[in-house]
Structure formats: C-alpha cells, structure tokens
C-alpha cells in the first residue's frame, strides 16, 4: 500500500474527528452533558452513534481476517453481533433507560440498594472495558504498520491521544457527534471499495468457491516468514524453501514435508505452487504447546460455535460503552426506537466484512502464514485492482479502519472513565472525570505493548464472554425477577463473570498446553459460565429471601411502566 495516499487519509480522519468533537465541546456545559448528554439524544442520532462505537476493530478488520483463515463458520460473528441487539431490544433497552442511572454500577445500586454490588459491578465494567480496548489499540498498531512500516505501538498511541483529548474535553456530547459521523465514514469506507472489488472479481473469472476448504494459492506465491512459524500438516506438502525447516538449513530447495508439525525458522522464504492448499499455521516458539482458539474450534467445531453464539447474543447487553448510550435517550420509548434503528444500521454494515474475507481467501491466502490475516481488508484493493485506483481505495479503507478504532475506543474510555470518576476518584466533578479519562486509557495502552497474539475478533469475543457471564444475569434478573437479592447478584457476578475472566486470562496466556477438552472449555467459556452465573444468582437469592430490598415492587414498576403513566400515578398519589 502506498503511504503517500494512506497516511493523508488517516490524518484527515484524525483531524475530522477532532473538529467534530470540538463542536460537541461547544455545547457541553454541565456535568450531565459530560456523562449522558443531558438525556436529550434523539433516536436517529443515538442509533448512528451506537453503531459507530459498536463497530470496532473486530468488525472492521477481525471478521474478514477470521473468514479468510477459517471460512464460512466465522459468519456467526456478524450474526451474533447483530442479534445481540435484538435481545437487548426485547429485554433491557427501555427498562434500563427508565432506571434513571448513569452507568451499570448506578443501575445495580438503584435496583439492589447495595454499595457492595455497586463496587463489584464497577470492577467488572472496568475489566470488560480494558479487555475490549486492547484489540482496538492493537488493531490501530497493525493498521499503521501495514501502511507505513512504523512500530506496532505507534498506532495505539495516536488513538489514545486523540481519544483522551475528545472525551476529556467534551464527554458524551463530543463523542456522540464523533461516533455518528464515524459510522457513516466506516460504512462508506467498506462499501465503496467492496463494489469495485466484486466487479474486479467477476471480471477476473476467479473461481466462485471463495469459501472452499481449505483455501488454496491461485498462483505461485512466495511468503517470507518474519517470526518463527509452526506448520501443522494433515497431508504431505511440497514447497520450495530458502531458510530453515525443522532445524535444517535449505537454499532454495524443493522439499516434500510429511504429515505432522514442522518448525519454520524466522526469515525463511516459502514458495508455494499454484493450487497448493494453504497449511494451518501457528506462531511463536511454544505454539505447539499453546494451541489457539482456532485450533480448539477445529477440534470441537460444534461446541465452539455454540459458545460463540451465546457470548455474542448475550454479551452485547452488558458492554459498558453500549449500555451507557441508552441513558442518553429522553424516554424508554426512544430507547426502543434507537435499538430498532441500530439493528438496521449494523445489519447493513455486517454484510460487508465477509465479502472481504471471502475475497481474501482467493487473492491473499498467504496472510494466514504471515500472521497478518486482519490486514486483508487493508491490502485487497491494491492486490485486486492495483494502480492509482487501488491505492486510493486502500487509503479510504485505511481511513475507515482508524475511524473504527477511534469511535469504539472513545465509547469504552467514556464508560470506564465514568465508573472511575463516580466510584474511585474523590469527586464526580468534571476535572476528576478528565483524570478518570486519562486513567481509563493508560492501563490498556500499557498492556497493549505486552499482550498480543490473538486476532482482534477473537480478543473481542473473549470480552463478550465476560460481559455475558457477569452483566447479562444481573440485567435480566434485575429487571424481570423481583426476588433477586444483593448477595445473589454479587455471587452470580463473581462466579459467572469471574470464571469467564479466569478462562480468558488462561486463553490469552496460552494455558493449558496440548489442546484437548480443557483448552476448548477455556477458549469458549460462555457456554458454561453464563448458565453458571444465572444459576448462582438464582440459588443464592432463593437462599437469602430476607435480603430482598425494601421497595422492590416500586422500583420494578418504574422500570416497566411508561414514563407518562408513571407520572400520572405519582400525581394521583400527591393530589389530596
């Protein structure tokens, strides 16, 4: 990709983001403006803003990368991401708005009148937010590295600086306009190149089986391995090697590798003949002992698919940057209308990433070996179209990718900063909110330099699993079950969310070695951690019936009655 086009495109997106955020700053005056935009955001603007912050690095880059590597099974990602809003619409959106809370910890305290549950909910908001921020920063680093060859930490630093400036300056007012603008930018950045790519594909006469298993090289292709690579072959492979394979130094030698696992040394160049299936690859010196989520998905595809479905369907309602948006709606009815609009907007967007993934299997299958499958969206315009046209389309995609990182990172930073300001820092005033913004971004920025290796969509999927296991039981039972108690809520979040968080940590750390059932359980925890969270919450609540908060009936009435009807009832009560 030509940096002479891509770098100005990214710079233009950054400048436009700052200018749009400055407009929000001009009309942000009160503390309520900073936290929830004074609850005055209409459905259309709010839907575009929610879609803008929801469509993250996982959506823009990660889905296409997973489809490239693993084929049509990965279409469950966009399906799950979209369907999560349907669950949110049916069970949570309007009651959550009527709760009158600013954040998920506010909701927990309003429903259960417990400071302990509030603090626990706040801890999970911060944990999920930081876990979700990591792939945004890593995706920004990948994008800038592909564009310019810059160090992979630089993109994350740029995103962090811009996001801190926008959120700290104008809060929710600023990021509402920024995220709405960036949704339409991201949609354009994928839609326009996709149209040209499909036309190029049709004109090329490429085979129509873009999802064929496994992906194959359409033409002879040389791949240089930057880091140590493990090839896992289920059939013999004939390849020309210039470098090191299994400790043997070879000089442009054509060899036949038998079935099994082979270690490719850093700097080795592999040349594959046309029609050769792309071998499965792992990264790192200990990869054979540290299986990936992809491997567990291959070994137990049905379990992995159901784990993915459950995490994405139920995790959306507990994502802190999504939930906080519903507090900005004027009424519960507006919150429902917003959710319906979001379903349409993100549904339209999610038609596009699988197109890039399918075309990547035809035109860039070697990305699975270089460890840069997430870069398929960035590289395909130049690979398929070429010339100035391909470079301009690639620059448009690069700008849209940076918009994805900025919009999602700003929403997550806003949500985490709100919790830190209200529950950790000594004051809820605007200056402390700005300090909370700095803290909210500093931790994941530091961690992004240390943690890596997972595709961005996989990393986000793990955040969904923690969210589904902790906040989904709290919201569903808190809104619809009057017998929920503070001990039950706390135990359910600790057992469900805590076990999912431990599973996520184990997966990201490469434990356990050797694959098998235990690795699959940890790599896809939602299938057992979500029921565990619900069951624990119900059983402990039933065991502590005397701890049901006083006034629960009135609280639930406020959640479920339309605002107009509730106001009429209150007027009747005070009228002599």
């Amino acid at each position: 990709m030509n940096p002479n086009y891509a770098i100005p495109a990214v710079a233009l997106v950054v400048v436009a983001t700052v200018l749009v955020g400055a407009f929000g700053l001009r009309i942000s005056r009160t503390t309520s403006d900073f936290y929830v935009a004074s609850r005055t955001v209409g459905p259309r603007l709010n839907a575009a803003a929610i879609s803008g912050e929801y469509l993250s690095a996982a959506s823009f880059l990660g889905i296409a990368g997973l489809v490239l590597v693993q084929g049509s099974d990965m279409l469950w990602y966009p399906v799950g991401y979209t369907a999560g809003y349907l669950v949110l619409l049916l069970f949570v959106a309007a009651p959550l708005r009527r709760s009158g809370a600013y954040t998920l910890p506010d909701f927990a305290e309003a429903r259960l009148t417990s400071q302990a549950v509030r603090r626990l909910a706040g801890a999970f908001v911060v944990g999920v937010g930081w876990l979700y921020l990591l792939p945004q920063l890593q995706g920004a680093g990948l994008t800038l590295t592909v564009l310019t060859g810059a160090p992979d930490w630089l993109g994350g630093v740029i995103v962090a600086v811009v996001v801190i400036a926008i959120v700290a300056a104008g809060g929710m007012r600023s990021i509402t306009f920024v995220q709405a603008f960036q949704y339409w930018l991201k949609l354009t950045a994928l839609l326009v190149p996709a149209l040209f790519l499909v036309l190029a594909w049709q004109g090329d006469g490429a085979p129509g089986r873009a999802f064929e298993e496994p992906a194959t090289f359409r033409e002879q292709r040389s791949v240089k391995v930057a880091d140590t690579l493990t090839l896992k072959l289920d059939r013999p492979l004939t390849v020309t090697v210039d470098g090191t394979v299994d400790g043997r130094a070879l000089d442009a030698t054509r060899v036949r590798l038998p079935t099994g696992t082979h270690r490719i040394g850093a700097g080795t160049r592999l040349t594959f003949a046309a029609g050769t299936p792309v071998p499965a690859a792992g990264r790192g010196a200990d990869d054979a002992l540290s299986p990936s989520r992809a491997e567990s998905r291959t070994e137990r595809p049905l379990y992995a698919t159901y784990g993915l479905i459950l995490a994405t369907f139920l995790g959306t309602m507990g994502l802190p940057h999504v939930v906080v948006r519903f507090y900005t709606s004027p009424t519960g009815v507006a919150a429902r209308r917003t959710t319906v609009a979001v379903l349409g907007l993100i549904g339209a967007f999610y038609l596009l990433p699988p197109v890039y993934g399918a075309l990547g299997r035809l035109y860039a299958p070697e990305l699975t070996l270089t460890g840069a499958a997430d870069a398929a969206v960035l590289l395909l315009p130049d690979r398929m179209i070429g010339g100035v046209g391909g470079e301009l389309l690639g620059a448009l995609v690069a700008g849209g990718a940076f918009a994805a990182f900025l919009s999602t990172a700003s929403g997550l930073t806003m949500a985490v900063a709100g919790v830190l300001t209200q529950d950790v820092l000594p004051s809820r005033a605007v200056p402390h909110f700005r300090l909370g913004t700095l803290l909210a971004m500093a931790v994941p920025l530091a961690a992004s330099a240390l943690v890596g290796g997972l595709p961005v969509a996989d990393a986000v999927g793990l955040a969904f699993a923690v969210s589904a296991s902790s906040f989904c039981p709290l919201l569903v039972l808190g809104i619809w079950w009057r017998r929920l108690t503070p001990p039950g809520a706390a135990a359910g979040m600790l057992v469900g969310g805590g076990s999912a968080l431990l599973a996520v940590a184990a997966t990201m750390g490469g434990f356990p070695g050797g694959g098998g059932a235990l690795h699959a359980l940890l790599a896809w925890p939602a299938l057992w951690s979500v029921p565990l969270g619900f069951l624990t919450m119900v059983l402990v609540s039933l065991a502590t019936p005397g701890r049901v908060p006083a006034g629960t009936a009135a609280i639930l009435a406020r959640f479920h009655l339309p605002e107009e009807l509730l106001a009429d009832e209150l007027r009747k009560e005070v009228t002599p």
Side-chain angles (χ1 to χ4, degrees):
M1 183 180 293
N2 190 341
N4 293 330
Y5 295 101
I7 293 177
V10 171
L12 186 60
V13 168
V14 171
V15 171
T17 297
V18 172
L19 293 176
V20 174
F23 174 76
L25 172 62
R26 293 179 57 191
I27 59 175
S28 184
R29 295 289 182 268
T30 67
T31 301
S32 181
D33 281 332
F34 270 79
Y35 287 123
V36 289
S38 294
R39 306 187 194 277
T40 58
V41 184
R44 284 184 293 183
L45 177 60
N46 213 9
I50 290 174
S51 302
E53 70 177 353
Y54 186 64
L55 298 172
S56 64
S59 300
F60 201 93
L61 300 179
I63 290 174
L66 288 179
V67 170
L68 188 161
V69 175
Q70 298 175 55
S72 57
D73 286 348
M74 295 301 95
L75 296 178
W76 277 112
Y77 269 99
V79 171
Y81 288 157
T82 306
Y85 272 95
L86 181 60
V87 179
L88 186 64
L89 171 66
L90 295 175
F91 297 107
V92 174
L96 190 62
R97 167 59 189 88
R98 296 187 187 114
S99 71
Y102 281 99
T103 62
L104 277 168
D106 282 341
F107 169 83
E109 183 181 20
R111 171 62 177 86
L112 297 165
T113 62
S114 169
Q115 282 293 321
V117 176
R118 178 193 178 93
R119 286 192 291 269
L120 183 60
F124 273 103
V125 166
V126 173
V128 171
W130 283 345
L131 187 63
Y132 210 134
L133 271 168
L134 277 174
Q136 314 311 315
L137 300 175
Q138 291 175 345
L142 169 67
T143 299
L144 203 63
T145 299
V146 170
L147 296 180
T148 68
D152 55 10
W153 54 265
L154 184 58
V157 170
I158 293 174
V159 167
V161 170
V162 174
V163 166
I164 289 172
I166 294 170
V167 175
M172 185 63 78
R173 282 288 188 193
S174 286
I175 68 170
T176 295
F177 293 111
V178 165
Q179 291 166 340
F181 156 71
Q182 287 173 336
Y183 167 76
W184 296 108
L185 174 61
K186 286 184 281 189
L187 182 65
T188 303
L190 279 190
L191 178 60
V192 173
L195 296 176
F196 285 95
L197 294 179
V198 170
L199 290 175
W201 170 56
Q202 292 294 321
D204 184 46
R209 295 174 59 198
F211 289 116
E212 63 184 356
E213 297 291 350
T216 59
F217 293 99
R218 296 176 59 241
E219 57 190 22
Q220 180 174 303
R221 180 76 65 182
S222 292
V223 180
K224 185 174 183 179
V225 177
D227 301 312
T228 301
L229 183 73
T230 301
L231 294 185
K232 301 172 183 176
L233 307 179
D234 57 4
R235 68 188 73 179
L237 171 68
T238 300
V239 62
T240 300
V241 180
D242 186 1
T244 304
V245 175
D246 296 331
R248 292 184 300 154
L250 301 172
D251 185 11
T253 304
R254 189 170 180 83
V255 299
R256 181 177 177 82
L257 302 177
T259 300
T261 300
H262 300 275
R263 186 63 48 85
I264 311 299
T268 299
R269 182 175 296 276
L270 304 175
T271 302
F272 298 89
T276 302
V278 180
R283 318 208 67 76
D286 298 323
D287 181 78
L289 300 178
S290 302
S292 65
R293 279 162 58 89
E295 182 173 318
S296 68
R297 187 187 290 117
T298 302
E299 292 177 348
R300 290 167 174 79
L302 189 61
Y303 174 82
T305 298
Y306 282 125
L308 168 64
I309 291 172
L310 196 63
T312 52
F313 275 37
L314 301 183
T316 301
M317 71 175 66
L319 295 178
H321 63 304
V322 170
V323 171
V324 74
R325 275 276 160 208
F326 289 95
Y327 302 137
T328 66
S329 295
T331 64
V333 172
R336 279 204 176 102
R337 289 175 179 169
T338 296
T339 311
V340 172
V342 169
L343 279 167
L345 293 177
I346 65 175
F349 180 91
Y350 278 131
L351 295 174
L352 300 173
V355 173
Y356 285 83
L359 293 175
R361 292 173 69 82
L362 296 175
Y363 292 93
E366 77 280 359
L367 294 179
T368 63
L369 302 178
T370 63
D374 290 331
V377 173
L378 302 169
L379 298 176
L380 277 175
D382 185 58
R383 181 70 58 86
M384 294 181 62
I385 297 173
V388 175
E391 292 172 354
L392 290 174
L393 291 174
L396 177 61
V397 172
F402 244 75
F405 311 138
L406 289 170
S407 58
T408 302
S410 60
L412 288 163
T413 303
M414 178 75 211
V416 174
V419 170
L420 292 175
T421 304
Q422 296 188 53
D423 297 306
V424 177
L425 298 176
S427 169
R428 299 187 180 187
V430 170
H432 284 93
F433 171 81
R434 288 171 173 155
L435 176 59
T437 300
L438 187 61
L439 294 174
M441 179 57 76
V443 172
L445 181 61
S448 67
L450 303 174
V451 179
L454 281 178
V456 291
D458 270 351
V460 168
L462 293 173
F464 269 75
V466 177
S467 172
S469 305
S470 54
F471 290 124
C472 176
L474 175 67
L475 288 168
V476 172
L477 295 178
I479 290 171
W480 297 98
W481 192 44
R482 67 178 59 245
R483 299 176 68 180
L484 181 66
T485 65
M493 282 193 291
L494 280 173
V495 173
S499 61
L501 193 60
L502 291 175
V504 166
T507 299
M508 297 181 74
F511 176 84
L518 179 58
H519 180 265
L521 288 171
L522 295 177
W524 307 94
L527 210 57
W528 53 267
S529 60
V530 173
L532 189 60
F534 270 101
L535 183 62
T536 302
M537 209 169 280
V538 169
L539 292 178
V540 175
S541 293
L542 292 176
T544 56
R547 299 291 301 277
V548 174
T552 294
I555 293 172
L556 292 180
R558 189 175 76 207
F559 289 176
H560 295 287
L561 289 177
E563 287 83 354
E564 298 81 2
L565 180 58
L566 186 59
D568 290 341
E569 292 297 322
L570 291 175
R571 279 195 294 270
K572 290 177 182 178
E573 291 180 6
V574 300
T575 301

